[in-house]
Amino acid sequence: QVQLVESGGGLVKPGGSLRLSCAASGFTFSDYYMSWIRQAPGKGLEWVSYISSSGSTIYYADSVKGRFTISRDNAKNSLYLQMNSLRAEDTAVYYCARQNFQLLKGWFDPWGQGTLVTVSS
Amino acid sequence: DIQMTQSPSSLSASVGDRVTITCRASQSISSYLNWYQQIPGKAPNLLIYAASSLQSGVPSRFSGSGSGTDFTLTISSLQPEDFATYYCQQSYSTPYTFGQGTKLEIK
């Protein structure tokens, strides 16, 4: 079955770095755009970044631009998020999600279970 | 950025009720609108894509409608497992944005 499993979350000090991974299975990973989406504790959903199937097109939310880097390894069926210069406001559960398209309309499905990143001294 | 506004932010209802949640975009997004359900402690789950298409495996009591700036999610007859938080999301342009969520609680 289609599955996404995130890892790499944890506690990090402000200004620190963390690398999240998302392992995909059950579908042809190299055919799909992928996104990272986060949710601060008790808050709503915030899209963070997406990467095209080949990795040639990347977008970021302004809140993470210049600090976060999305990447993928299609040979390993894996998506990554390198997070640098972390701030307290980056504390959240980070989800990876597959992007599906039909006639240019896109949606996120499925989502991984999420990995918690806590930025605190 | 396109702002997505849901109403109400919270809603109390009973099993068997018909419920409607509204989502308004700050500019026209055609039918680039999706709905997700999130149960506490779980990842969001896709219910409706492209404004009105029911995701495979989602019960038919869920339906979506709308185009342009105004959209609705309707649950025709609430079941106990439907008490959750619902989010709309636009995929018209980046940054993709979500509504603030509607928490559906048991009356």
Side-chain angles (χ1 to χ4, degrees):
Chain A
Q1 74 282 18
V2 175
Q3 193 171 16
L4 298 169
V5 179
E6 301 94 337
S7 60
L11 175 63
V12 61
K13 290 182 168 54
S17 298
L18 212 54
R19 189 195 196 207
L20 306 183
S21 299
C22 171
S25 60
F27 65 100
T28 305
F29 181 71
S30 58
D31 284 349
Y32 288 87
Y33 284 41
M34 298 293 295
S35 269
W36 287 99
I37 299 154
R38 68 184 181 183
Q39 187 171 35
K43 302 298 184 182
L45 299 164
E46 180 189 17
W47 170 81
V48 172
S49 178
Y50 90 63
I51 186 168
S52 63
S53 52
S54 67
S56 60
T57 301
I58 287 172
Y59 281 96
Y60 297 100
D62 285 347
S63 58
V64 306
K65 200 173 295 181
R67 301 187 299 122
F68 290 12
T69 302
I70 192 171
S71 63
R72 64 190 297 159
D73 185 336
N74 286 342
K76 294 183 177 180
N77 293 334
S78 292
L79 175 73
Y80 306 102
L81 187 68
Q82 177 67 42
M83 304 185 295
N84 299 330
S85 303
L86 282 161
R87 306 166 179 166
E89 54 265 35
D90 296 318
T91 294
V93 174
Y94 285 73
Y95 297 101
C96 65
R98 188 180 75 178
Q99 286 182 236
N100 304 273
F101 292 95
Q102 186 179 83
L103 300 176
L104 300 182
K105 296 181 177 65
W107 58 91
F108 301 119
D109 180 69
W111 300 52
Q113 86 288 351
T115 188
L116 176 62
V117 173
T118 303
V119 184
S120 174
S121 54
Chain B
D1 298 2
I2 298 174
Q3 307 303 316
M4 307 300 294
T5 304
Q6 289 179 232
S7 60
S9 294
S10 63
L11 175 60
S12 294
S14 301
V15 172
D17 283 354
R18 180 182 179 90
V19 166
T20 297
I21 298 169
T22 297
C23 178
R24 176 164 289 175
S26 59
Q27 67 181 73
S28 177
I29 58 170
S30 182
S31 57
Y32 290 71
L33 190 283
N34 309 308
W35 290 97
Y36 303 87
Q37 176 194 63
Q38 187 176 33
I39 293 167
K42 300 292 188 182
N45 182 53
L46 177 71
L47 298 175
I48 302 286
Y49 63 93
S52 60
S53 295
L54 187 68
Q55 170 68 351
S56 175
V58 173
S60 59
R61 62 181 180 273
F62 291 92
S63 64
S65 65
S67 181
T69 60
D70 294 318
F71 302 87
T72 58
L73 173 70
T74 299
I75 310 172
S76 61
S77 178
L78 274 174
Q79 299 302 301
E81 60 267 29
D82 299 338
F83 292 94
T85 299
Y86 294 84
Y87 293 94
C88 62
Q89 174 249 329
Q90 64 83 16
S91 61
Y92 183 81
S93 65
T94 56
Y96 300 134
T97 45
F98 293 83
Q100 81 279 15
T102 295
K103 187 173 184 179
L104 182 50
E105 298 175 308
I106 301 174
K107 185 183 286 184

